[in-house]
Amino acid sequence: MRCHLRRLLSAACLVCAAFAAAPLRAAELALMCTGVGQEMALCREAADDWAKRHGHTVRIVTAPNDASARLALVQQWLSAGSDQVDVLQVDVVWPGLLAAHLLDLRPHARGQEQQHFEGFVANNTIDGRLVAMPWFANAGLLFYRADLLKKHGRPVPATWAALTETAEAIQRAERAAGDDQLWGYVWQGRAYEGLTCNALEWVASHGGGTVVEADGRVSVRNPQAEAALRTAAGWVGRITPKAVLNYAEEESRLVFQSGRAVFMRNWPYAWALAQAEGSAIRGKVGVALLPRGEGAAGAAKARHAAALGGEALAVSKYSKHPALAAELVLHMTSAAAQKSRALRASFNPTRPALYADAEILQANPFMGELADTFRSAVPRPTAATGTRYNQVSHAFWNAAHDVLSGKAEAGAALRRLERGLARLRRGGTWK
Ligand code: GLC
């Protein structure tokens, strides 16, 4: 009898335990993930991990890899008030554009935002509302083939002129030796946000400013900016394939990773993939600062300049499960999740504490060695241009694309751009 009672009690306990573990109501959340590098796999895994633990399901909504195409889609969803997506990836340049459609995460965050770099939190705080939680940081980097530099007795170039010369010399020598597919330098030249990042790096590194300055002044028509664009246009067809005019991040990475380029400009994610088992360039790659400009008037202000990028996760205001969606965001941006992403896929954490983590620094030496690049990376002019940022960027990348493709001469393109930006800045103000 006693034994029977014990069995009954323990069965009852099992039932209690099952109820305690299960959520009151299982929900399905929709999470937007991109397919850049290992993004999709990591995004899905982290979401499934959370979903399993809490008895929910997460459906993945695939978003375009091209940041501008992604923004267009997100704007379309949000302006329609659609509940198609609960959690979305938000680029560092989007919070000001999307804030009205995003949930304030601060009441859900239990103070976690304080563990992230202040700059990212400030960037994601619009009118006092924390509209996105930092997920990973990006800064433009120069990837190079250490084996080829060594073979040809060349140092890592510190200036654009040295890069041009080195790329050309190695390309010529290797082609003469039979590697006729090798190019000197690949980057992102498609007419989209990625070109804004590349062109901002060229211009800022020549001491030519940041297109629009912090005080709202349009600065882009200047001799250094002109020299910067002219230099880049000079690469196309010479050390850079013409196809770069349609390359985003992944297209340039695939060329570099298959061993067909000496240098590449890209974000940190390219490191883990270049070093992965099965990569044609495993063990042959180095990472350095992007070169600085020189020579033009104003060269005193020339510097190494990396565009500041990065992504955050946000909850749509139209989500039917805002509290759960916020929990998913906290899980995906947690220290454990960021550490795993750094180790497996070289995504830079947004948590300063992780930069003291020996395993992360060992897997990604550049995160320690080039820490200054991240600290001093050049932000795009979102703070000055507010809700008009995307129009400003659009005008800038189009002008750059015209120069790169030979449709316009640098001076003329910048004059036209300046006029266009002045029109956008109606009444002398961007707001
Ligand atoms: C990366 C960066 C983002 C940038 C985009 C441009 O996704 O994180 O900030 O806008 O590249 O292609």
Side-chain angles (χ1 to χ4, degrees), residues 67 70 91-93 138 192-194 197 249 267 309-311 380:
R70 199 152 71 226
D91 191 317
V92 280
V93 291
N138 264 334
Y192 81 124
E193 186 64 29
C197 296
E249 286 80 1
W267 308 108
E311 308 289 326
R380 282 160 276 172

Side-chain angles (χ1 to χ4, degrees), residues 1-60:
M1 173 68 198
R2 255 221 228 118
C3 188
H4 182 65
L5 192 66
R6 221 178 15 236
R7 263 208 306 273
L8 249 172
L9 278 176
S10 64
C13 280
L14 276 180
V15 174
C16 292
F19 272 114
L24 289 178
R25 244 179 330 137
E28 185 187 77
L29 295 182
L31 163 70
M32 176 187 120
C33 305
T34 79
V36 178
Q38 306 183 65
E39 277 283 21
M40 183 56 74
L42 292 183
C43 194
R44 191 189 295 274
E45 231 174 79
D48 284 349
D49 176 38
W50 175 85
K52 237 177 257 144
R53 258 195 242 175
H54 299 280
H56 301 293
T57 46
V58 178
R59 185 165 47 82
I60 304 296

